[in-house]
């Protein structure tokens, strides 16, 4: 099951995010609180954090990285100042050829070797 949400404030007013508010929304969407768990909570910002949530008070960090969307965007602005927004940076990355900028094994050892 994939449930996506934005970190921006909701249109439901100034209600802070509490387990009770989350329970009300999940029931409203046709899900019981039992159907919700377990799930992975992924937060992407200047880094990435992956948390396995087993229940309202049971969770553990299972993965993460210091590299995230903020790092990607910062590098884009340094390397390509004319890049206008995050979506354009993504399109440019898709069009590029990583082998032209990444250091490959052949760059280190050369091409004249045999694998065992």
């Amino acid at each position: 099951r994939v449930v996506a949400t934005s970190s921006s404030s909701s249109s439901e007013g100034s209600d802070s995010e509490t387990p009770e508010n989350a329970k009300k929304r999940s029931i409203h969407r046709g899900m019981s609180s039992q159907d919700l768990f377990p799930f992975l909570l992924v937060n992407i910002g200047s880094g990435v954090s992956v948390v396995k949530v087993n229940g309202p008070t049971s969770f553990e960090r299972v993965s993460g990285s210091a590299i995230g969307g903020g790092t990607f965007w910062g590098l884009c602005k340094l390397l390509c100042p004319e890049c206008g927004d995050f979506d354009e940076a993504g399109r440019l990355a898709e069009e590029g050829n990583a082998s032209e900028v990444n250091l490959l094994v052949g760059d280190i050892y050369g091409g004249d070797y045999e694998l065992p």
Side-chain angles (χ1 to χ4, degrees), residues 11-114:
S11 61
E12 296 177 21
S14 62
D15 288 354
S16 60
E17 184 60 52
T18 64
E20 186 61 33
N21 289 345
K23 183 177 178 182
K24 288 177 187 175
R25 280 197 315 280
S26 66
I27 292 170
H28 177 71
R29 293 182 181 154
M31 293 174 56
S32 74
S33 60
Q34 296 298 324
D35 293 334
L36 186 61
F37 302 106
F39 65 89
L40 289 178
L41 173 65
V42 180
N43 184 32
I44 303 173
S46 58
V48 176
S49 184
V50 181
V51 178
K52 180 181 179 189
V53 181
N54 296 306
T57 61
S58 174
F59 57 89
E60 64 180 305
R61 184 175 188 273
V62 294
S63 185
S65 169
I67 306 295
T71 303
F72 173 73
W73 180 239
L75 288 171
C76 288
K77 292 304 289 180
L78 288 172
L79 297 171
C80 185
E82 65 274 3
C83 187
D85 60 29
F86 195 88
D87 290 335
E88 182 180 3
R91 283 191 299 277
L92 290 171
E94 287 176 353
E95 294 170 7
N97 182 350
S99 67
E100 293 182 13
V101 293
N102 286 349
L103 188 61
L104 305 175
V105 172
D107 297 327
I108 299 169
Y109 295 107
D112 191 18
Y113 61 91
E114 289 185 33

